[in-house]
Amino acid sequence: MATSTIRVLLLALLLIASPFLQVARGQSDSEVDASDTVEENSDLGIVGEDVQDFGDGSFSPAPGVDTICVFPKNIAKTVAAGEETELLVGLKNDGESSLNVIAIKATVHLPFDHNLLVQNLTAQAFNNGSVPASAQAAFPYIFAVSKFLQPGAFDLVGTIYYEIDQQPYQSTFYNGTIEVVEAGAMLSIESVFLVTLGCALLVLLGLWIHGQIQHLSKKTKRAPKVEVGTKATDASMDEWLQGTAYTQSVKDKTKKKK
């Protein structure tokens, strides 16, 4: 179990570093730089109708051969109808003999019943796609679903065909869901997340500014003045000052005014 997990992790690392690794393609026996291999796909043959239909044969996977699949820059596995989509197939050969990759093929099915075939995708052949023993390689596969396919969820089943000592084998590198969308309406999950996050931050900022304005307006409001009656106070003061020099001076001023 631990050995199998380590193999899967190694294949994942292989695909992450695939731009720096050698991708098998039709060429001479000379080694080619991996970056040039990824860019120059002219030697990869697209299989036509006159080529063997690998779907007619059912072969078992070879022991010691592990595969993994990655959709580069497409974590959501979104496929635009009628447009090309690329995936990478990682293959690790832990067997004792070298293997020769023949082709990669995929089919589209309804998710609730794989017996209902929606579309046979184009097979892609490889010339001199050899993987020595105890080695690993990444193979690109470019496909396009029909432009008439209705948007929705479908299951993609991808198979890689190879030979070891002239014995044919096949391994399923992907058996999962893809989301088909209309051409031109493709939006990555990262873009949706960033737009949603931006809108949420703007709403929170607006609420914070509104709260600060209300808080400041409450502080600037003056407290209403409370008027205290003075008549009762004046009367009590007069009684307290009765008979003093102050009341006498008040009386004298009143007489003079008269």
Side-chain angles (χ1 to χ4, degrees):
M1 186 68 180
T3 304
S4 178
T5 304
I6 293 174
R7 289 177 179 176
V8 172
L9 291 175
L10 289 174
L11 285 173
L13 291 174
L14 163 69
L15 291 180
I16 293 174
S18 58
F20 308 98
L21 298 176
Q22 179 180 0
V23 180
R25 62 190 178 106
Q27 267 199 348
S28 62
D29 294 335
S30 59
E31 294 183 357
V32 183
D33 182 71
S35 59
D36 296 334
T37 306
V38 174
E39 294 177 358
E40 299 175 3
N41 293 328
S42 58
D43 292 338
L44 294 176
I46 302 299
V47 175
E49 295 179 356
D50 56 339
V51 182
Q52 175 188 358
D53 186 0
F54 296 99
D56 292 339
S58 179
F59 310 109
S60 61
V65 176
D66 293 322
T67 58
I68 193 172
C69 173
V70 171
F71 288 76
K73 300 180 181 179
N74 187 7
I75 301 176
K77 299 180 178 63
T78 305
V79 177
E83 295 184 0
E84 289 186 344
T85 302
E86 182 182 10
L87 58 81
L88 290 176
V89 182
L91 189 147
K92 182 175 175 59
N93 181 14
D94 284 334
E96 298 179 355
S97 303
S98 63
L99 62 83
N100 183 42
V101 174
I102 301 173
I104 295 177
K105 184 181 178 182
T107 53
V108 180
H109 304 261
L110 292 179
F112 54 85
D113 188 358
H114 278 200
N115 292 323
L116 299 177
L117 178 65
V118 176
Q119 183 182 356
N120 265 319
L121 300 176
T122 304
Q124 187 165 308
F126 297 89
N127 297 322
N128 193 27
S130 179
V131 182
S134 302
Q136 53 193 11
F139 296 84
Y141 176 60
I142 300 173
F143 66 94
V145 300
S146 173
K147 62 180 179 180
F148 302 108
L149 190 61
Q150 294 295 322
F154 296 88
D155 278 1
L156 176 71
V157 179
T159 307
I160 184 169
Y161 297 87
Y162 51 94
E163 289 181 342
I164 299 178
D165 297 331
Q166 297 184 348
Q167 179 69 31
Y169 296 94
Q170 71 179 52
S171 296
T172 300
F173 59 83
Y174 185 77
N175 186 359
T177 304
I178 58 172
E179 187 70 23
V180 177
V181 299
E182 294 182 1
M186 192 170 175
L187 189 64
S188 66
I189 189 170
E190 292 86 355
S191 300
V192 174
F193 174 76
L194 290 176
V195 171
T196 305
L197 180 61
C199 293
L201 290 176
L202 288 176
V203 171
L204 291 176
L205 180 61
L207 292 175
W208 181 80
I209 293 175
H210 180 70
Q212 291 297 318
I213 293 174
Q214 284 188 336
H215 182 67
L216 291 175
S217 62
K218 287 181 180 180
K219 282 186 175 182
T220 54
K221 286 183 180 179
R222 295 181 178 179
K225 294 182 179 180
V226 179
E227 295 183 357
V228 181
T230 58
K231 290 184 179 180
T233 305
D234 292 342
S236 62
M237 288 293 291
D238 290 343
E239 291 177 1
W240 183 74
L241 295 172
Q242 192 69 32
T244 64
Y246 173 77
T247 55
Q248 186 65 33
S249 63
V250 171
K251 288 180 180 180
D252 292 343
K253 289 180 181 179
T254 306
K255 289 179 180 180
K256 288 179 181 181
K257 289 181 180 179
K258 290 181 178 180

